[in-house]
Structures are given as C-alpha cells and as structure tokens.
Amino acid sequence: MQDNQEVPVVGITKQSGSGTPGGCVLLKTKHAMYDERDMFTFQGPFVFRGFWPSNQSNTALPNDRAGSYGISTVKMHPQNKLGTVKLLSANPQDMPEIHFNLFKEGRETDMGAMKDTIAWARKVHAAVKAPVGPLTSTEPPCKGSPDADGSCGEDDEDWILGQTFGHHPTSTCAIGGENDKNAVLDSRFRVRGVGGLRVVDASVFPRIPGAFPVVATYMVSGKATDVLLEDAKKVDQC
C-alpha cells in the first residue's frame, strides 16, 4: 500500500478574517524524483487537517485561531511502498489489519521534500505585505529561529512524523509482471490465481499517481472497459 503524505503549514495573519483561497502551487524540491515537481500545495484562510466527522461532534477537534491561514502540502511520488493491508480471516465482514508504515522506506527523499516545502512556506509567510502580513508562522512550531532557508531542522522532522496524514491509499492490487511479488494483477486486470475475478480501482497502480489519484482512476476505468469488451468479444467468437 502507498499513500501521499500530507501536513499543513499554518501562519497567522495580522487581520482576522483576511485572506482568500490562494490557488495551487507545484514545487520541485531538492529531493525531487524523476526530474519532476514533487510537492503540491493549496492554501487559504483555513487549515486542512484531514477528514473529520461531518457533524463536528468530536470535541477534541483542533480549534484554530482567528486569522489562521493554511498552506496544505501533499508529497507526490512517495518512495515508501511498505504499507500493508492484511486479511485476518476469510470472512469479508472482518476488518482487515491496515498499516501505513509511513517513512519506513525512502525516508530521506520523502521527509526531505516535505521539510523543503515547510521552509519555503515560512518564507512565503514572511513575504506577505501589510496590512495582512507578514504572517506569524505557528505550525510546525520552531523552538529557536528558522535558518536563512526557513528550515527548523529536527523540529520540523519531529512535527512531520507526528502530524502527517493521508487519504489517497493505492496500490494494494498492483498490476505487474510475473516476477513482481507485489503484482496481484496481470495487464488485463485479472487477479492471479483466482478465476473470473478482476480489480479496477485505485489499488491497481504500481506507483501512486501524482497528488490526487482520482483522474488517473477514471483513466484506468476507461482502459479496463476496453479490455473487458475485447475479452467479451473473444468469448463470443469461441
């Protein structure tokens, strides 16, 4: 199982209630893989901390200060492939055992890119003009002062480990060759060793696609439709 790593960077504006959604930024950090931009951010007068109950009945939810302005960060191309989903029984109603195992593999790359982006976000906070800014950076907290690049070193790393979340799990039924131990599916979406069963969803990706897997999943479903129709015609011809 793979997933994007996400964590917000929070600043406080000088005018409560100021600020509008600031669009998106694609960054290429010093830790970029495949020579591609590796971090996606979106920002606005909110702090995105993952998904919470829609009725907001959980009283332990964080209560963000007035004037909070969040830069949400999403690590693309994560290098960690050690997440697992394990079935505990043959009963489909039994909950599986799920472990994301974040940063267990490729930690220097994934953690490094997130730290680069946090440092960049602090510099953005400092560059906002009056009367709204400069913003006071509050998350991740920094015990001392950021360095010239905006980094707080181990403080940032500790915060990332404790605050990272994700909600784009993929790749538990990956397509791949016969010699790939993690390849549950062949190139026609068929489950190896199980007759009459195919999988078509975000679990088929050998590598998590980009920041958000939704469009790639639409594309996979279109490809799978073509494959199923082709195979159905072969059966009819027989």
Side-chain angles (χ1 to χ4, degrees):
M1 182 174 66
Q2 301 170 42
D3 200 357
N4 295 120
Q5 293 104 352
E6 305 183 45
V7 69
V9 184
V10 184
I12 306 299
T13 65
K14 292 187 178 299
Q15 289 185 335
S16 297
S18 60
T20 58
C24 312
V25 178
L26 284 162
L27 298 174
K28 183 177 180 181
T29 74
K30 293 179 292 186
H31 294 82
M33 299 292 293
Y34 322 119
D35 196 32
E36 297 176 5
R37 289 172 287 189
D38 57 329
M39 292 294 302
F40 177 91
T41 75
F42 60 97
Q43 49 274 332
F46 52 80
V47 182
F48 184 63
R49 303 182 184 278
F51 293 120
W52 303 97
S54 58
N55 62 5
Q56 297 293 288
S57 60
N58 182 355
T59 57
L61 288 173
N63 185 15
D64 292 308
R65 292 169 50 185
S68 293
Y69 195 90
I71 299 179
S72 294
T73 70
V74 182
K75 173 66 178 72
M76 299 189 287
H77 314 142
Q79 297 302 294
N80 183 36
K81 297 183 178 180
L82 296 183
T84 61
V85 177
K86 184 183 294 184
L87 300 180
L88 300 181
S89 78
N91 183 352
Q93 292 186 323
D94 285 347
M95 293 291 290
E97 184 178 81
I98 300 174
H99 292 290
F100 285 85
N101 288 326
L102 295 176
F103 305 111
K104 294 295 184 182
E105 183 180 53
R107 173 170 170 155
E108 181 177 352
T109 297
D110 294 346
M111 179 74 72
M114 296 178 76
K115 290 171 67 176
D116 289 350
T117 306
I118 288 170
W120 168 84
R122 287 197 182 101
K123 295 177 74 173
V124 170
H125 287 168
V128 176
K129 304 291 186 181
V132 175
L135 275 63
T136 301
S137 297
T138 57
E139 292 182 34
C142 189
K143 295 175 184 175
S145 297
D147 64 19
D149 292 326
S151 173
C152 286
E154 290 187 7
D155 288 351
D156 289 342
E157 191 160 328
D158 290 344
W159 187 259
I160 290 169
L161 287 174
Q163 300 294 323
T164 292
F165 63 90
H167 52 275
H168 307 147
T170 70
S171 309
T172 51
C173 295
I175 291 175
E178 292 280 356
N179 60 345
D180 184 348
K181 67 178 182 179
N182 291 321
V184 176
L185 308 180
D186 65 15
S187 62
R188 304 193 74 79
F189 301 92
R190 296 174 297 202
V191 178
R192 287 191 167 90
V194 182
L197 179 62
R198 307 198 200 207
V199 175
V200 183
D201 57 27
S203 67
V204 308
F205 299 115
R207 193 182 87 196
I208 188 169
F212 304 104
V214 59
V215 174
T217 304
Y218 295 159
M219 296 171 70
V220 160
S221 68
K223 172 62 176 177
T225 299
D226 294 340
V227 168
L228 289 167
L229 291 174
E230 289 172 4
D231 290 354
K233 289 178 182 179
K234 292 176 184 177
V235 172
D236 291 341
Q237 291 170 357
C238 293

